[in-house]
Amino acid sequence: MNQPINPPMNFGAAPARPSFDHAGGPMLGLVFLAVLALGLSYTAYSVLSDMSAAGETSIAMVSYVLLGVALLIALGFEFVNGFHDTANAVATVIYTHSLPPHFAVVWSGVFNFLGVLVSSGTVAFGIISLLPVELILQVGSSAGFAMVFALLIAAIIWNLGTWWLGLPASSSHTLIGSIIGVGVANALMHGRDGTAGVDWGQATKVGYSLLLSPLVGFACAALLLLLLRRLVRNRALYEEPQGNRPPPLWIRALLVLTCTGVSFAHGSNDGQKGMGLIMLILVGTVPLSYALNRAMPVEQTTQFAMVAHIAQMDLKAQSSAALSGDPRLVLTNYIQNKTLNEEIVPALSALAGDIGDQVQSHPTLAAVPATNVKNVRNDMYLASETIRLLDKSNASGLTEQSRASLKALKAQMDTATKFIPLWVKIAVAIALGLGTMVGWKRIVVTVGEKIGKSHLTYAQGASAELVAMATIGAADLFGLPVSTTHVLSSGVAGTMAASRSGLQMSTIRNLLMAWVLTLPAAIALSGSLYWLFTHWF
């Protein structure tokens, strides 16, 4: 007859609170500063090397200053994101005594670093598509810099505020809210309806992933814990740690593995958000170096031109409507308003032909003259975004052949414009990795001590981490930004509820308030900063 596993075992030692007092020593501090200095120096060297290779050496001093400040703010956002979200990975291994606190955060930082390096970049450009089209097309203007500064500073301020209060709020929520705030403010400042400043279809898609991920974390972690109880009849797995002894070896290995997985998945997803914004900054200030993918080979450039002309002919056969104005203006209005009319297809056909002609007239994208680079990129961006919207529209009336040729054209244009240099990944990886190693204690204590009424058990920690790792990994695969913080903290709450050990409702209430308030607060803060910065600039 199986014995129940719910009654607690008494080994004579109460669970001990982890010791956070032991510092890493001066040597660790010196290594930290050395890596930070190396990262900043490498970033500066890479930018200057790319500019020299592209022949972009005559930009004004003010542009250098703006570029430097913008890059520091973008990397600062990733640094804050690192220590704000460290608890997602390390709280469980710390509170189960699987790893010492300071070793755990260094371990997490290393795998955050590696996660950024292998990320795909899909999430980065999904974030960018939420920004107002006119600001993306003029990202090097004063309004473009105001946009970048406003949304990044707003996100940093809110992240620091919630970190100070020990609340595991979502960095992803914060950044999305900041982007929406800039879009709404920009539309209102130009006399349009505030809802016209945001791609609400894309925002809704992102919003669903952010809002549903905590529910997925809560439910799946609870179900996984209950399943473990059925399948694994080992009492030690479901008991509170005794004293400060580490768990049995196999449990410890599982917890360290899940900590590693969440750290890696967090880096691969959250690191991309800063990458996309850094690429916007680079395109705006040094377009000759970064507006087009200069590494695209000759044979692919030739294929690109051919695909563009095929798409042009397919679209010409698709519609007999006449184009009355500039195709760029027609497509810009369509991207802003999402209103389909008979001019969209002929406008896209004309622009596809122009893109094909421009690409065909040069052996490679690196040979496009400096005066044309930004216009070529903007044309590709307009065409790519139009194709993305048409692909989602059932009313476009496009044939399967036209859709296939447009899909091929979009793939070529995205290769030419949506690329991330290796040095950008390395710089973001260093910022995020170093960020995980400082300031982590506040939120770790909240996750480890203040969500449930009992000490975290081994099974609870492993269940929450496994669900967080899988959820974030799946979101990265599909190019969706999710909240690592909400998935993990809600997963811990789910395991506490499944164990019937009780929840600390004051903490749950504060977490829900942060969850609800993050979007409106970030929208209001970034919108206000955008209005202020546009007047300053």
Side-chain angles (χ1 to χ4, degrees):
M1 182 175 178
N2 288 333
Q3 295 296 317
I5 59 175
N6 290 334
M9 296 177 67
N10 182 12
F11 293 106
R17 186 177 190 269
S19 173
F20 298 106
D21 298 329
H22 175 67
M27 182 56 68
L28 185 61
L30 289 174
V31 171
F32 179 93
L33 292 176
V35 173
L36 178 62
L38 185 64
L40 292 175
S41 301
Y42 174 69
T43 300
Y45 170 79
S46 299
V47 173
L48 294 174
S49 295
D50 288 348
M51 289 173 61
S52 177
E56 194 163 25
T57 56
S58 59
I59 68 171
M61 181 56 66
V62 67
S63 295
Y64 276 112
V65 174
L66 285 174
L67 174 60
V69 172
L71 287 176
L72 283 175
I73 294 174
L75 293 173
F77 166 76
E78 287 297 345
F79 185 83
V80 172
N81 186 8
F83 69 74
H84 188 273
D85 288 3
T86 308
N88 306 325
V90 301
T92 54
V93 291
I94 290 174
Y95 274 86
T96 56
H97 308 298
S98 298
L99 290 176
H102 288 84
F103 182 85
V105 295
V106 172
W107 181 267
S108 176
V110 169
F111 282 93
N112 266 281
F113 177 90
L114 295 175
V116 176
L117 291 185
V118 302
S119 58
S120 64
T122 308
V123 173
F125 295 106
I127 291 287
I128 296 302
S129 65
L130 294 175
L131 292 165
V133 60
E134 65 269 29
L135 292 183
I136 293 179
L137 297 178
Q138 302 173 29
V139 70
S141 66
S142 58
F145 276 106
M147 169 189 70
V148 172
F149 287 161
L151 67 91
L152 283 173
I153 292 173
I156 289 172
I157 290 172
W158 184 256
N159 277 350
L160 286 175
T162 51
W163 164 79
W164 183 258
L165 296 173
L167 295 175
S170 166
S171 297
S172 298
H173 261 124
T174 305
L175 186 59
I176 299 300
S178 299
I179 290 173
I180 292 174
V182 167
V184 170
N186 181 68
L188 292 175
M189 289 168 63
H190 288 84
R192 303 199 306 270
D193 185 343
T195 59
V198 179
D199 181 351
W200 290 107
Q202 183 73 1
T204 301
K205 178 183 175 182
V206 171
Y208 278 140
S209 69
L210 290 172
L211 292 173
L212 292 178
S213 53
L215 303 179
V216 170
F218 184 95
C220 290
L223 291 173
L224 181 57
L225 180 65
L226 295 175
L227 183 64
L228 279 175
R229 284 182 177 277
R230 290 279 186 182
L231 299 178
V232 183
R233 312 294 294 182
N234 187 320
R235 280 193 169 203
L237 192 60
Y238 310 99
E239 301 297 335
E240 296 179 349
Q242 303 302 310
N244 58 5
R245 291 181 303 177
L249 182 60
W250 72 273
I251 298 176
R252 189 178 190 182
L254 176 63
L255 288 164
V256 172
L257 178 65
T258 54
C259 165
T260 304
V262 170
S263 299
F264 186 85
H266 175 260
S268 68
N269 193 278
D270 277 41
Q272 294 190 56
K273 295 156 192 172
M275 288 181 204
L277 295 171
I278 286 174
M279 289 309 298
L280 262 188
I281 293 165
L282 293 170
V283 168
T285 49
V286 280
L288 187 59
S289 302
Y290 299 105
L292 298 174
N293 187 356
R294 299 172 58 83
M296 183 179 281
V298 175
E299 57 273 16
Q300 191 170 351
T301 306
T302 304
Q303 183 186 14
F304 187 170
M306 181 179 67
V307 169
H309 286 128
I310 291 173
Q312 178 191 22
M313 298 308 297
D314 284 344
L315 291 173
K316 268 188 178 180
Q318 184 77 41
S319 174
S320 59
L323 182 62
S324 59
D326 183 356
R328 294 163 184 81
L329 183 58
V330 172
L331 298 185
T332 300
N333 289 334
Y334 173 57
I335 295 170
Q336 286 177 333
N337 304 320
K338 315 298 183 295
T339 304
L340 195 63
N341 60 60
E342 63 180 10
E343 285 194 305
I344 302 302
V345 172
L348 182 56
S349 174
L351 192 58
D354 284 350
I355 291 170
D357 291 341
Q358 292 176 88
V359 172
Q360 193 174 40
S361 61
H362 305 288
T364 65
L365 294 182
V368 176
T371 53
N372 295 349
V373 165
K374 213 162 188 180
N375 290 334
V376 173
R377 179 189 172 84
N378 285 349
D379 285 352
M380 291 183 187
Y381 177 81
L382 280 175
S384 179
E385 285 298 289
T386 301
I387 293 170
R388 180 178 68 83
L389 294 175
L390 286 175
D391 189 54
K392 296 191 300 183
S393 173
N394 295 324
S396 64
L398 294 174
T399 64
E400 287 302 316
Q401 180 178 335
S402 295
R403 288 183 180 273
S405 61
L406 288 178
K407 183 177 180 181
L409 176 59
K410 186 178 189 305
Q412 293 287 348
M413 292 187 296
D414 288 351
T415 301
T417 58
K418 296 182 178 181
F419 64 98
I420 299 175
L422 178 61
W423 73 261
V424 173
K425 288 189 175 186
I426 292 175
V428 170
I430 291 173
L432 189 66
L434 290 179
T436 63
M437 301 179 193
V438 300
W440 45 270
K441 179 180 175 182
R442 291 177 181 274
I443 297 178
V444 165
V445 170
T446 298
V447 174
E449 298 181 17
K450 298 180 180 180
I451 292 179
K453 290 183 177 179
S454 64
H455 197 287
L456 197 70
T457 68
Y458 306 131
Q460 287 173 334
S463 298
E465 291 273 27
L466 279 169
V467 168
M469 181 175 65
T471 303
I472 301 160
D476 190 29
L477 183 64
F478 290 103
L480 295 173
V482 296
S483 168
T484 312
T485 305
H486 284 164
V487 174
L488 192 282
S489 56
S490 62
V492 171
T495 61
M496 292 291 178
S499 298
R500 299 181 181 178
S501 53
L503 296 170
Q504 296 191 43
M505 296 313 298
S506 59
T507 302
I508 301 300
R509 185 170 56 251
N510 289 338
L511 292 178
L512 289 173
M513 284 182 61
W515 187 15
V516 170
L517 292 177
T518 291
L519 274 177
I523 289 171
L525 187 56
S526 68
S528 302
L529 287 174
Y530 176 71
W531 178 86
L532 182 64
F533 289 160
T534 51
H535 285 74
W536 278 1
F537 288 139

